[in-house]
Amino acid sequence: MQLLGLASLIIYDVFVLLYFTPKRSHWLFYLAAVAINIGIAIPSYLLLDHRFAVYLIMGSIMLAFHLLFYGNWLQILYAGSLYMFSLYSSRGIIFSIYAFVLHTSIKDVLQQETYYITIFALAVLLSILFSLFIRKVIVPDTSARHLLYNKEQLRFVVVYLFIQLVFLTLINDGRFHDEIRQSWLSSLYLISCIISKLWLLFVLYHTTKVSELLEYELHTRQLQEQLSRQMRHYQSYRKFTESYRAFRHDYKSMMTSMKTLLYSQEYEKAARMLDDIHDTMQRDVLVHKAYSNNVLLDAILQDAANTCEEKSIRFSAVAHLPENISITDLDIVRIFSNVINNAIEACNKVSGPEPFIEITSSGNPDWATIEVSNSFNELLWKDGELETTKESKDFHGFGLRIIKETIEGLGGLIFIEADQEKRIFKIKLCIPKASP
């Protein structure tokens, strides 16, 4: 029977750990993660008071998550608390039902080793089914990403899980008080565990929807800003075209006059006319500078150049996108709008020497590389990740994650380098080229 309990715990650990994408995929790391949890869980339940054992086991699974997966402390705390809450509440439901069926108290049920191991195995099965229901119906994998990266909503879920764990632990203590009618306690515990699970479904569904809506609104804002950029770009190009047409209209007659002066050997007048033509062109024909070979990217860079000129930020850009890379217009907007917005915001906070933004491109037969360098004043690192310094974190802090997700979705790589001494931040975007 003890082997049944051990096997159940291993199955539950493997089920939970295989849900996430690991940073270390070798089977030895999975073995070490499971061993850590089992090595702490079993002695904790055998030797410690259950009120302490619950949180020690949760800490062990958090340590296993930290070993295997990328993630900040809040995401790891969420995974650990969800793991423990699901198992603990499922266990409460099963042994409450046992107490009803056997017409005895929860305390008597748990004192029977056969019942205890069987209850644990059934609790693992119920927890797995509950987790599958969450993943398939309440929070599908595509939606879970939004919640995991929204710190405000994820913090709310973690607080709820902790409150419910404490609540269920306190009710569980009732089995040690003989003055409490045990049938009433079994009913209370069963109902509490079921309601806690149902409320968790509601909390997860609600917070996920809020996270999705916040990110959708952020993307909508970005698309609106990009549309404004394109309109300004097209208006600038239209003015350039109109001024060039006006100059071209007079160009033919000026060239005719020039030929007449040259044939008449009136070189001084011809030279003065050339000067006049040059001055007219400099004065009347607007210069349209191209920063990229892609129309949409050029619109983004043109708008960035105008913004930088207003803010006294030195701007230079040469961004070439090869035709043999698979990148959509939406990908271009998501990547470069966020990169440039972040760079401009960083330069706005620089109080020392002239702030700058420099964009360069390079490539080889397999990769196209865009590198963006900019000045910065300070960087906030948290759990190995860049953190927004803005107060409103619901609408800020998504930028770098969106860039990373989009680049990696294209099969590319992103490299970040920050020179603290020179105060230069660099982000290198590597996008694979399509095979010939």
Side-chain angles (χ1 to χ4, degrees):
M1 292 301 292
Q2 291 179 348
L3 288 177
L4 175 62
L6 180 60
S8 300
L9 183 59
I10 292 174
I11 290 171
Y12 186 51
D13 284 355
V14 172
F15 169 79
V16 172
L17 293 174
L18 288 177
Y19 174 60
F20 300 94
T21 303
K23 61 182 177 183
R24 299 181 178 94
S25 57
H26 197 279
W27 65 271
L28 284 174
F29 289 102
Y30 277 98
L31 182 62
V34 173
I36 288 171
N37 182 243
I38 292 175
I40 295 176
I42 293 177
S44 297
Y45 259 117
L46 292 176
L47 303 175
L48 299 178
D49 186 282
H50 76 281
R51 287 165 291 191
F52 301 106
V54 166
Y55 300 102
L56 197 58
I57 294 171
M58 188 174 74
S60 70
I61 197 66
M62 288 172 61
L63 182 60
F65 271 97
H66 180 69
L67 175 68
L68 277 178
F69 306 110
Y70 294 104
N72 56 47
W73 69 269
L74 186 60
Q75 292 169 339
I76 292 174
L77 193 59
Y78 165 74
S81 58
L82 184 60
Y83 170 96
M84 196 65 244
F85 170 80
S86 180
L87 187 60
Y88 195 75
S89 57
S90 297
R91 176 175 170 268
I93 290 173
I94 299 298
F95 68 53
S96 296
I97 293 175
Y98 257 72
F100 272 119
V101 172
L102 299 174
H103 302 289
T104 186
S105 67
I106 293 174
K107 182 179 179 180
D108 291 338
V109 170
L110 294 178
Q111 286 177 345
Q112 299 292 325
E113 183 179 353
T114 303
Y115 291 158
Y116 189 92
I117 300 298
T118 306
I119 287 171
F120 184 78
L122 292 174
V124 167
L125 177 61
L126 181 59
S127 296
I128 291 175
L129 294 175
F130 181 69
S131 298
L132 287 173
F133 180 74
I134 290 176
R135 288 165 55 177
K136 299 298 181 183
V137 180
I138 304 300
V139 186
D141 294 350
T142 53
S143 300
R145 177 183 59 85
H146 300 289
L147 175 60
L148 285 174
Y149 286 99
N150 189 309
K151 293 188 177 181
E152 296 298 322
Q153 298 302 316
L154 191 62
R155 188 180 294 113
F156 177 80
V157 177
V158 169
V159 170
Y160 170 81
L161 288 170
F162 264 91
I163 291 174
Q164 289 301 318
L165 273 174
V166 172
F167 173 66
L168 295 180
T169 303
L170 292 175
I171 294 180
N172 193 19
D173 278 350
R175 72 178 191 265
F176 299 111
H177 298 276
D178 295 332
E179 67 274 12
I180 297 178
R181 193 171 62 184
Q182 292 301 309
S183 60
W184 178 84
L185 178 64
S186 299
S187 302
L188 175 64
Y189 202 10
L190 177 63
I191 294 171
S192 298
C193 289
I194 292 174
I195 291 177
S196 294
K197 281 186 176 292
L198 293 176
W199 267 108
L200 177 61
L201 296 180
F202 172 78
V203 168
L204 288 174
Y205 179 81
H206 176 75
T207 53
T208 301
K209 288 300 179 184
V210 170
S211 301
E212 287 180 331
L213 289 173
L214 287 172
E215 192 156 344
Y216 176 77
E217 185 170 348
L218 176 67
H219 291 169
T220 302
R221 288 183 179 184
Q222 289 179 336
L223 291 174
Q224 289 174 340
E225 291 174 2
Q226 183 52 40
L227 179 59
S228 299
R229 286 193 186 100
Q230 286 182 262
M231 290 302 297
R232 290 194 294 268
H233 177 68
Y234 292 142
Q235 288 170 0
S236 173
Y237 193 79
R238 180 176 57 81
K239 290 178 181 178
F240 162 75
T241 304
E242 291 175 353
S243 63
Y244 181 75
R245 283 177 179 173
F247 174 79
R248 188 178 177 184
H249 181 267
D250 298 330
Y251 181 75
K252 186 175 181 180
S253 59
M254 288 188 289
M255 286 299 100
T256 302
S257 301
M258 176 65 68
K259 289 178 182 179
T260 301
L261 292 173
L262 291 174
Y263 288 145
S264 303
Q265 298 183 354
E266 296 186 28
Y267 300 119
E268 290 185 7
K269 290 183 178 181
R272 285 197 298 272
M273 179 166 283
L274 281 174
D275 290 337
D276 292 339
I277 293 172
H278 178 268
D279 293 340
T280 301
M281 186 171 182
Q282 292 293 319
R283 183 181 65 251
D284 297 337
V285 179
L286 300 176
V287 177
H288 184 81
K289 188 174 181 179
Y291 295 98
S292 172
N293 63 323
N294 181 280
V295 175
L296 182 57
L297 178 55
D298 199 51
I300 296 173
L301 296 176
Q302 288 279 350
D303 189 66
N306 295 335
T307 303
C308 288
E309 185 177 359
E310 295 173 0
K311 298 179 178 291
S312 300
I313 300 171
R314 178 164 55 86
F315 180 85
S316 63
V318 179
H320 181 79
L321 291 180
E323 295 182 358
N324 58 340
I325 62 172
S326 301
I327 187 168
T328 66
D329 288 347
L330 182 58
D331 290 335
I332 291 174
V333 172
R334 297 187 70 183
I335 294 169
F336 292 99
S337 292
N338 281 293
V339 168
I340 292 171
N341 286 343
N342 289 346
I344 292 174
E345 288 174 6
C347 288
N348 283 336
K349 299 175 183 177
V350 174
S351 56
E354 180 187 18
F356 74 93
I357 297 174
E358 182 179 353
I359 302 173
T360 58
S361 61
S362 60
N364 58 42
D366 299 317
W367 297 87
T369 302
I370 306 290
E371 183 175 298
V372 181
S373 304
N374 62 268
S375 308
F376 74 89
N377 186 41
E378 64 172 346
L379 291 176
L380 178 59
W381 294 91
K382 193 171 184 180
D383 301 317
E385 297 181 358
L386 277 175
E387 182 88 357
T388 179
T389 56
K390 295 184 177 181
E391 293 183 1
S392 176
K393 298 185 187 297
D394 281 340
F395 290 102
H396 300 291
F398 285 110
L400 193 59
R401 176 170 65 84
I402 292 172
I403 297 165
K404 184 178 179 181
E405 287 179 357
T406 308
I407 290 291
E408 291 179 352
L410 297 171
L413 300 169
I414 177 172
F415 300 95
I416 294 174
E417 178 185 342
D419 190 328
Q420 296 286 350
E421 184 178 349
K422 296 181 179 179
R423 298 291 180 181
I424 297 176
F425 179 85
K426 292 183 180 180
I427 181 169
K428 186 180 292 186
L429 312 172
C430 302
I431 306 171
K433 295 181 180 179
S435 302

